[in-house]
Amino acid sequence: MKLALMPWLVASGLFFGCGDDAGLGGAGGGGGADAGGGSGAGVVDPTPILEREPAISHDCTEERPMTQESGVTTSRLEGLVAAGGVLFATHSAETLSMAKVELDGAVGDPLVLESESFAFRVPVTIADGDDVVTVWAGLGGQEQLIFARVDSTLALVDGPTGIPETAGNGNSAAALVPADGGFALLYGAVSGSQTELTFLRIGPDGTAAGEPVAVANLGETYGASASAAPTEDGGFAVTYAVGTPLDSDVYFVVLEADGSPRFTPRRISRAGGDGVASYFSYYSRNNVLPVGDAFWVTFTEGESDYETEQGHSIIRVAVVDVEGSATLHGVQAPVEGIENRYPSFVEFDGRIGLFWTTGHIIWVCGGCITDYDMLLVLLDPETVVPASQVVTHLHMTNGINAPIVAVQGSDLLTGSNLDFHALTLPATGAMRCVAAE
């Protein structure tokens, strides 16, 4: 790789990332294509979603700007969920902790879940009824994923407990889905230089309820970039990114309840290579949702010209049928030098909320920071057009990275990590969407 390619690769997050996201990392191939995966990508709709005639059903506004949490010097916001009428935030610094958080940004006393140094061991945090469940990669001689369940009073119900079946040096949590009183866990299992996306059923207390099942070889990656959602018939829709930093692709497959695939994983992104790469954030997000009799998948699509060192990225929404064939929608038209990243979904009052960041990479002191703003729009699930205005959290001094959202009634608590070059600081804001009159 020529050094001239490095700026765009860093900016896109495909090599080692700027600010908050390591992207896919690595330099190896493999994955769905090696396993015989076919292309499910079909028609690319030429009109960006934000340029389509809207069907406004909701009015959305910013209620509180994205602001740094008070008193925090260095930390990451890793998860944000609503459970039992309470909002919870997961933070990592020297420890992994969970705390109650209010719409006004106030953070309560933390419950420490892990006291070992927590760098680069990204947890997955979800709501399970009135409880909050977190899975993360353990250190300190454990070298396995660890499970913990907390109730709405912030009291430990189960764990922290290791899951021996997930043991391995460098293994990483990717996605967690409630299922039949327990969970379906997806994680990256490292073998040599390769990472295997792996499925495991676990019980409500985190104990294994089956054997690990290999889903796809992701190649030489730093962690597993994947997302999952339940299907109506007890299966799981799974989407994941695979490939090299220069030609990564997004794949889709539906798994049975035991993790076995219903069909060969299918590529749903444009074919990688020749400057095109499609990918997820390394950090866990809601990148797939069941919508009617289809599934929506959102990811970043980057395009570059290596000779001129120019590039951009946009957000894609793929509408995927039950056999893995996809129609691709661009959220915005590409603009030279503009990065649109970190897309994720949230369900809101019969609409699909899509949020992401947009902005530039700023090169400083041999590294980079961002000036990303955070955007949110509600989409009509039947017509794939805007159902609300686009509402924005403007960045202040530092860019807004890796946004996450928790819904409480008409309110959306937004969270992110502000970009301070080599450090990040957690921040929260608030938005509100109400039915249009």
Side-chain angles (χ1 to χ4, degrees):
M1 182 188 302
K2 295 188 295 184
L3 290 179
L5 302 186
M6 294 297 291
W8 188 85
L9 294 176
V10 173
S12 67
L14 287 174
F15 195 70
F16 53 82
C18 177
D20 204 49
D21 190 6
L24 291 172
D34 286 353
S39 173
V43 176
V44 177
D45 193 303
T47 305
I49 292 174
L50 296 184
E51 296 180 14
R52 299 175 187 174
E53 185 70 26
I56 300 297
S57 60
H58 290 74
D59 292 322
C60 295
T61 55
E62 181 187 50
E63 296 296 299
R64 181 170 62 85
M66 187 73 73
T67 51
Q68 179 185 332
E69 292 181 9
S70 62
V72 177
T73 55
T74 177
S75 176
R76 281 185 45 82
L77 183 64
E78 302 279 13
L80 202 61
V81 299
V86 180
L87 295 164
F88 294 88
T90 306
H91 292 84
S92 68
E94 290 303 313
T95 65
L96 174 68
S97 63
M98 187 179 296
K100 295 182 181 181
V101 59
E102 304 294 337
L103 287 168
D104 64 5
V107 179
D109 295 333
L111 168 68
V112 175
L113 298 172
E114 167 75 83
S115 59
E116 297 283 343
S117 175
F118 205 79
F120 306 114
R121 296 187 289 132
V122 182
V124 176
T125 303
I126 66 168
D128 182 38
D130 289 345
D131 296 343
V132 180
V133 172
T134 302
V135 173
W136 68 93
L139 286 180
Q142 298 180 75
E143 297 293 338
Q144 58 192 306
L145 299 188
I146 299 176
F147 175 98
R149 178 190 291 273
V150 175
D151 67 19
S152 59
T153 70
L154 205 62
L156 274 169
V157 177
D158 291 298
T161 305
I163 309 173
E165 291 77 5
T166 65
N169 185 24
N171 289 1
S172 58
L176 191 66
V177 180
D180 298 329
F183 304 91
L185 171 65
L186 285 162
Y187 64 98
V190 176
S191 177
S193 63
Q194 304 293 304
T195 295
E196 195 84 17
L197 183 63
T198 305
F199 173 97
L200 179 67
R201 292 296 293 262
I202 60 177
D205 60 354
T207 56
E211 295 296 323
V213 179
V215 176
N217 175 20
L218 305 183
E220 295 182 13
T221 67
Y222 184 78
S225 296
S227 193
T231 63
E232 291 184 349
D233 58 0
F236 306 95
V238 175
T239 186
Y240 57 91
V242 61
T244 74
L246 301 179
D247 62 359
S248 56
D249 296 299
V250 171
Y251 280 80
F252 176 88
V253 67
V254 176
L255 305 179
E256 300 288 359
D258 62 359
S260 58
R262 294 184 182 176
F263 51 81
T264 301
R266 306 194 70 180
R267 174 175 56 80
I268 59 172
S269 60
R270 291 173 58 197
D274 294 327
V276 176
S278 298
Y279 51 94
F280 298 120
S281 167
Y282 170 55
Y283 297 99
S284 175
R285 325 195 69 68
N286 293 324
N287 290 106
V288 59
L289 278 182
V291 180
D293 58 359
F295 302 92
W296 284 22
V297 179
T298 185
F299 53 89
T300 300
E301 179 187 288
E303 194 162 351
S304 67
D305 184 326
Y306 304 144
E307 297 302 321
T308 63
E309 300 180 25
Q310 302 296 306
H312 62 259
S313 63
I314 64 171
I315 304 303
R316 286 282 186 198
V317 172
V319 178
V320 190
D321 67 21
V322 293
E323 296 179 347
S325 294
T327 299
L328 296 180
H329 304 264
V331 173
Q332 60 283 111
V335 177
E336 179 59 40
I338 297 295
E339 292 286 318
N340 293 280
R341 297 181 60 195
Y342 303 111
S344 189
F345 290 129
V346 62
E347 296 181 84
F348 187 92
D349 194 22
R351 299 295 180 264
I352 307 302
L354 173 68
F355 54 97
W356 71 99
T357 60
T358 185
H360 305 82
I361 300 293
I362 302 167
W363 298 96
V364 292
C365 303
C368 53
I369 60 173
T370 71
D371 64 1
Y372 293 162
D373 300 326
M374 175 184 167
L375 289 76
L376 169 78
V377 66
L378 301 185
L379 302 179
D380 186 296
E382 296 184 0
T383 57
V384 199
V385 303
S388 75
Q389 310 87 347
V390 177
V391 60
T392 303
H393 280 318
L394 292 174
H395 78 284
M396 297 175 70
T397 304
N398 305 89
I400 297 170
N401 286 272
I404 47 181
V405 171
V407 176
Q408 188 179 64
S410 297
D411 294 303
L412 298 98
L413 179 66
T414 58
S416 74
N417 294 292
L418 302 183
D419 187 352
F420 284 79
H421 188 24
L423 300 175
T424 60
L425 294 175
T428 62
M431 298 179 178
R432 176 171 294 171
C433 293
V434 297
E437 296 182 356

